[in-house]
Amino acid sequence: MHELYVAQCILDSAEKALPDDVAGSSVREIVVLVGRLDAIVNDSLTFLFDVIKAERGFPSAALRIDVEPVSCRCLRCTEQFAVPDVDC
């Protein structure tokens, strides 16, 4: 289950992004963009994020996962198009 590692990396990145004078306890939401083909189980990531966020200094933070749709580009004409629901 690599979602635990991903949750830890998200919190590490959030901590590094905060200015020195801002505490993690003041963060209310962290937004991540996940691609449909990234092999992330969103419910597991959210659950594990909630389990570890307090011990990592972000007790009030909520995780919002925005899902990036799958898109392709034709090599011949370079037209880009969306791929409807891909089940992996």
Side-chain angles (χ1 to χ4, degrees):
M1 184 184 310
H2 66 279
E3 283 82 1
L4 177 58
Y5 176 72
V6 173
Q8 292 169 332
C9 288
I10 290 168
L11 290 166
D12 287 344
S13 295
E15 184 177 11
K16 289 176 186 174
L18 285 177
D20 291 336
D21 61 337
V22 177
S25 60
S26 65
V27 174
R28 298 289 175 241
E29 183 177 57
I30 297 174
V31 180
V32 295
L33 180 63
V34 175
R36 287 273 293 134
L37 300 179
D38 282 334
I40 298 291
V41 179
N42 294 347
D43 290 341
S44 295
L45 178 58
T46 301
F47 172 77
L48 292 165
F49 178 88
D50 288 340
V51 168
I52 67 170
K53 68 183 182 180
E55 70 185 35
R56 300 295 301 270
F58 292 85
S60 302
L63 180 64
R64 187 180 90 203
I65 301 172
D66 291 343
V67 179
E68 179 78 15
V70 177
S71 64
C72 295
R73 183 181 6 243
C74 176
L75 294 175
R76 185 176 299 154
C77 71
T78 69
E79 181 180 347
Q80 191 164 341
F81 55 95
V83 177
D85 294 332
V86 176
D87 291 326
C88 301

